[in-house]
Amino acid sequence: MFRLDGKNALITGASGGIGGEIAKALHGAGACVALSGTRVEPLQALADELGSRAHVI
């Protein structure tokens, strides 16, 4: 598998199912993820679940 350490990723639609899963995959590969979407509560829950390197914008 590839590594994304030191890379940044902007995930739009992260408050939904597919966007959230993409964010988890990229974060798991080492990227710092910026989460964007239309619903703040699911975005914050995802950021809390991922921990460091996850930010709601």
Side-chain angles (χ1 to χ4, degrees), residues 25-53:
L26 294 174
H27 186 270
C32 178
V33 294
L35 308 171
S36 175
T38 57
R39 297 175 293 144
V40 176
E41 293 82 13
L43 291 173
Q44 190 58 56
L46 179 58
D48 293 343
E49 177 185 338
L50 295 176
S52 67
R53 301 187 336 270

Side-chain angles (χ1 to χ4, degrees), residues 1-2 5 7 9-10 12-13 19 22 26 29-30 32 36 38 44 50:
M1 187 107 202
F2 60 93
D5 298 309
K7 303 291 184 181
L10 169 62
T12 59
I22 291 170
L26 294 174
C32 178
S36 175
T38 57
Q44 190 58 56
L50 295 176

